[in-house]
């Protein structure tokens, strides 16, 4: 309430004097971890220290308000964009110094979203909304930084809300489908597996890219429902393929980080396999490096549990994350998927060539299969085979296709 009173006074002064004012929304990055690990009393002490440090950097006419949890609002009268930039940088730099709490050093960083009157709004609600959108983009960009609100952010925010709303109805409206991309043995040139890929066609939005809607589904939790549907649908579709393909044919299904953190994942996967009467040894679950390294010990336990039933695991987009090799050797993995960002230019770029060669050599020493993603040319295929890569996936060897088309492809290979 006091913040609103101060805002009304600052707004009146700004419009009378034709000056600008700024509203900043400030979040403490990963503050929840401190509460969870060290307790709420330590978190409270840190909040007091944070507020005191803020006050050393502000003017008497500025208003700092704690909005709840680890969220602060900062009203800065008579402040243009350049001044707001300098202030935001000062705030962020000031938090490079640790806090001494309960005989230990704690370091916390800031994410800041900034809106400016009158460009971004002429009332508190408008400026608050824009500052919040800018704060979200600061977090999205990696945290420990600031963003000014822009009209493009509003467009993006509107698009996210539109997709979020439409995605919640997509399953019920039967707008989702799976396509399947062949995985080819580079030595025999035979199909040895397929990756199930989710596609969404909306009657008004058109074809929505997975790169756009999957992060939104992960953010709103819908990825759990989608992931369950993908697994059930992929197993149902692939069951007849086992009678056509070789005995070691694999259907690969992606697991999101949120799915992988679910305590009941193993039971859910095993129940789905039983319900679909699908052999566990023909299922491959793909994980990202990030999902395995968020909690490596838990990842090891989960992988080991499902691996006992014959389910295989692969690391997707390998080389783009921060896998610890000490953990990697403890994971009971079957395959490493070499990210397409390395494959794309490997025939021309010596560094990409060296990275691909190193991943293949490392995988061989660990007894793992390697598959290259995004293979689009014969030259790439030939070089991968020469380097010892086992499998290929990409438009050169087969584009993603509907189940009926994939069935025909299998039948041609296995008459």
């Amino acid at each position: 309430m006091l913040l609103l009173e101060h805002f009304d006074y600052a707004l009146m002064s700004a419009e009378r004097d034709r000056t600008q004012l700024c509203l900043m929304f400030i979040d403490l990055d990963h503050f929840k971890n401190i509460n969870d690990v060290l307790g709420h009393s330590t978190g409270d002490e840190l909040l007091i220290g944070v507020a005191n440090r803020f006050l050393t950097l502000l003017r008497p006419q500025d208003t700092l308000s704690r909005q709840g949890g680890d969220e602060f609002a900062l009203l800065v009268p008579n402040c243009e964009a350049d001044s707001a930039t300098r202030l935001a940088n000062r705030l962020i730099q000031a938090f490079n110094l640790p806090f001494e709490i309960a005989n230990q050093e704690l370091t916390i960083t800031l994410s800041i979203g900034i809106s400016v009157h009158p460009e971004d709004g002429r009332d508190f609600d408008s400026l608050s909304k824009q500052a919040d959108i800018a704060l979200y983009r600061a977090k999205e960009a990696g945290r420990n930084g600031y963003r000014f609100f822009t009209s493009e952010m509003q467009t993006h925010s509107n698009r996210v809300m539109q997709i979020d709303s439409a995605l919640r109805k997509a399953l019920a409206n039967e707008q989702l489908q799976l396509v399947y991309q062949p995985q080819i043995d580079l030595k025999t040139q035979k199909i040895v597996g397929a990756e199930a890929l989710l596609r969404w066609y909306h009657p008004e939005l058109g074809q929505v890219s997975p790169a756009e809607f999957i992060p939104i589904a992960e953010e709103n939790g819908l990825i759990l429902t989608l992931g369950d549907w993908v697994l059930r649908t992929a197993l149902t579709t692939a069951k007849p393929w086992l009678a056509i393909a070789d005995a070691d044919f694999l259907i690969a299904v992606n697991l999101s980080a949120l799915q992988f953190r679910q305590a009941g994942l193993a039971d859910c996967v095993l129940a789905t396999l039983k319900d679909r009467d699908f052999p566990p040894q023909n299922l491959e679950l793909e994980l990202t490096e990030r999902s395995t390294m968020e909690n490596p010990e838990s990842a090891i336990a989960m992988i080991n549990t499902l691996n006992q039933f014959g389910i295989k695991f692969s690391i997707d987009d390998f080389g783009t994350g921060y896998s610890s090799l000490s953990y990697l050797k403890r994971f009971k993995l079957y395959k490493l998927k070499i990210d397409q960002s390395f494959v794309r230019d490997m025939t021309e770029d010596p560094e990409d060539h060296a990275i691909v060669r190193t991943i293949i050599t490392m995988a061989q020493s660990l007894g793992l299969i390697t598959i290259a993603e995004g293979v689009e040319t014969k030259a790439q295929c030939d070089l991968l085979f020469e380097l010892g890569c086992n499998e290929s996936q990409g438009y050169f060897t087969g584009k993603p296709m509907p189940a009926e088309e994939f069935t025909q492809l299998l039948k041609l290979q296995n008459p």
Side-chain angles (χ1 to χ4, degrees):
M1 291 176 64
L2 186 61
L3 175 64
L4 287 172
E5 286 184 21
H6 283 210
F7 177 84
D8 289 340
Y9 180 78
L11 179 63
M12 183 174 61
S13 299
E15 292 186 339
R16 182 192 63 219
D17 301 333
R18 296 186 179 181
T19 58
Q20 293 176 301
L21 66 84
C22 294
L23 185 64
M24 298 187 181
F25 274 18
I26 306 171
D27 255 18
L28 308 183
D29 298 330
H30 305 300
F31 178 75
K32 183 177 181 296
N33 293 346
I34 290 172
N35 274 341
D36 291 346
V37 176
L38 301 176
H40 286 267
S41 59
T42 300
D44 289 347
E45 286 188 56
L46 179 59
L47 283 171
I48 294 169
V50 165
N52 287 331
R53 186 170 294 182
F54 277 142
L55 293 177
T56 64
L57 301 164
L58 303 178
R59 306 169 303 176
Q61 63 266 40
D62 300 333
T63 301
L64 178 69
S65 168
R66 178 169 173 247
Q67 296 293 292
D70 59 351
E71 300 171 357
F72 292 83
L74 175 59
L75 174 63
V76 191
N78 194 20
C79 178
E80 298 178 349
D82 288 346
S83 301
T85 298
R86 290 192 293 271
L87 176 57
N89 280 319
R90 283 205 309 274
L91 292 172
I92 290 167
Q93 290 167 10
F95 280 73
N96 289 333
L97 296 173
F99 292 86
E100 290 282 345
I101 307 286
N103 296 320
Q104 57 186 325
E105 287 191 349
L106 299 178
T107 301
I108 195 100
T109 58
L110 307 178
S111 293
I112 305 174
I114 308 169
S115 61
V116 182
H117 168 277
E119 292 92 330
D120 303 329
R122 292 183 173 272
D123 57 64
F124 185 79
D125 286 343
S126 298
L127 290 170
S128 295
K129 185 179 75 170
Q130 319 299 37
D132 199 35
I133 291 172
L135 173 61
Y136 179 81
R137 294 305 292 270
K139 290 180 177 180
E140 206 176 41
R143 306 177 191 265
N144 193 27
Y146 65 90
R147 288 292 185 274
F148 280 89
F149 173 79
T150 64
S151 57
E152 289 78 9
M153 288 183 186
Q154 182 67 65
T155 302
H156 174 76
S157 181
N158 292 342
R159 172 76 174 176
V160 168
M161 288 180 63
Q162 187 180 29
I163 290 176
D164 184 296
S165 176
L167 189 57
R168 294 176 188 276
K169 307 168 191 171
L171 262 180
N173 293 340
E174 298 183 344
Q175 296 167 357
L176 299 175
Q177 69 172 52
L178 292 183
V179 293
Y180 301 87
Q181 186 164 32
Q183 297 177 331
I184 308 296
D185 185 300
L186 283 171
K187 185 175 182 181
T188 65
Q189 293 299 303
K190 294 189 70 176
I191 298 173
V192 291
E195 181 179 2
L197 300 167
L198 185 59
R199 296 292 184 263
W200 177 24
Y201 181 82
H202 188 274
E204 295 175 5
L205 300 173
Q207 194 77 41
V208 185
S209 168
E212 187 175 19
F213 73 80
I214 292 296
I216 294 172
E218 290 177 335
E219 183 74 22
N220 65 20
L222 193 60
I223 194 68
L224 298 177
T225 303
L226 295 180
D228 183 57
W229 180 84
V230 167
L231 181 61
R232 286 187 285 106
T233 304
L235 296 186
T236 302
T237 303
K239 180 73 187 296
W241 295 343
L242 302 183
I244 306 172
D246 293 341
D248 55 357
F249 178 88
L250 293 174
I251 182 70
V253 177
N254 290 276
L255 283 183
S256 73
L258 188 59
Q259 284 177 279
F260 194 59
R261 288 198 298 268
Q262 296 300 300
L265 174 65
D267 291 338
C268 178
V269 171
L270 293 173
T272 305
L273 284 165
K274 184 178 180 181
D275 181 62
R276 294 300 189 262
D277 190 27
F278 195 91
Q281 64 271 19
N282 293 103
L283 172 62
E284 175 186 324
L285 296 177
E286 294 189 6
L287 308 168
T288 63
E289 287 185 80
R290 181 172 65 88
S291 63
T292 57
M293 295 312 299
E294 283 180 352
N295 189 339
E297 294 298 337
S298 175
I300 290 168
M302 180 67 72
I303 291 172
N304 290 351
T305 297
L306 289 172
N307 188 257
Q308 291 173 2
F309 293 89
I311 297 169
K312 297 175 175 63
F313 283 86
S314 63
I315 297 292
D316 197 12
D317 303 331
F318 187 79
T320 61
Y322 302 95
S323 287
S324 164
L325 296 183
S326 63
Y327 280 115
L328 190 61
K329 70 178 183 180
R330 293 173 60 193
F331 293 143
K332 290 189 176 178
L333 299 174
Y334 171 74
K335 184 184 293 182
L336 295 183
K337 300 194 75 174
I338 305 170
D339 188 67
Q340 60 184 332
S341 62
F342 304 126
V343 175
R344 186 182 303 115
D345 299 320
M346 62 175 292
T347 54
E348 293 87 20
D349 189 323
E351 291 182 353
D352 284 339
H353 181 282
I355 290 171
V356 171
R357 184 183 66 242
T358 301
I359 292 173
I360 293 171
T361 302
M362 181 191 69
Q364 289 172 339
S365 67
L366 293 172
L368 302 176
I369 299 290
T370 49
I371 180 170
E373 296 181 291
V375 179
E376 297 183 350
T377 67
K378 184 177 186 302
Q380 291 169 345
C381 236
D382 292 343
L383 181 55
L384 287 164
F385 179 68
E386 181 185 319
L387 293 174
C389 185
N390 304 102
E391 298 173 7
S392 162
Q393 179 178 339
Y395 272 68
F396 179 73
T397 47
K399 66 181 185 349
M401 60 189 73
E404 299 79 9
E405 190 175 334
F406 190 86
T407 302
Q408 293 305 314
L409 197 62
L410 273 181
K411 287 180 177 179
L412 285 173
Q413 178 181 282
N414 301 277

